[in-house]
Amino acid sequence: MKTPEEYYALARSMFFQAHPDFQTALDSISTQDATAMGVTLEKLKEIQADRIYAAFLRAKKQDAMLFSIQLAEPDKEVAAQAIEKYLRSHAEALGMSWEEFCIKNEL
């Protein structure tokens, strides 16, 4: 099972493969653009890719990690386990038991 970050990166890559117009926009970013922002070309493209993907997810009203796991993990059982692991980490971060978290979020 991948980490949530690995799923996110894979799903973002899949998104850009499915939307070549966005990839073209990323490819048009120049070294001059990066220099003006005070970052490397690679870093600016990474930042812009995250912004584009995040905007897509916001427009679809999707949780970035949940959507990414569902998109990037072809095995539905593994995807369900990854989602549960991700949600359990949220419950823990909030200081809630898994049961409390499930009740509060109607899971």
Side-chain angles (χ1 to χ4, degrees):
M1 186 179 327
K2 296 171 185 63
T3 66
E5 294 78 13
E6 290 170 325
Y7 281 119
Y8 181 88
L10 182 57
R12 191 184 75 184
S13 176
M14 293 169 73
F15 169 81
F16 280 98
Q17 288 174 359
H19 296 89
D21 51 331
F22 290 129
Q23 185 61 54
T24 300
L26 283 180
D27 293 341
S28 72
I29 297 173
S30 71
T31 304
Q32 285 181 313
D33 297 327
T35 301
M37 298 292 294
V39 297
T40 65
L41 179 58
E42 183 179 307
K43 184 64 177 173
L44 182 55
K45 286 184 177 187
E46 181 79 14
I47 291 167
Q48 291 301 89
D50 278 341
R51 287 179 176 170
I52 292 167
Y53 185 55
F56 167 79
L57 294 171
R58 276 192 310 276
K60 297 290 185 186
K61 298 183 181 179
Q62 294 288 326
D63 177 284
M65 289 302 179
L66 296 180
F67 179 84
S68 296
I69 292 169
Q70 290 172 337
L71 179 63
E73 181 54 66
D75 184 321
K76 299 303 176 198
E77 187 173 317
V78 174
Q81 292 170 357
I83 289 169
E84 182 176 334
K85 183 178 178 183
Y86 170 69
L87 292 175
R88 282 182 181 272
S89 72
H90 272 285
E92 184 179 321
L94 293 169
M96 299 173 78
S97 72
W98 177 238
E99 294 75 23
E100 289 172 317
F101 185 83
C102 287
I103 291 167
K104 181 172 177 67
N105 292 285
E106 299 178 2
L107 301 176

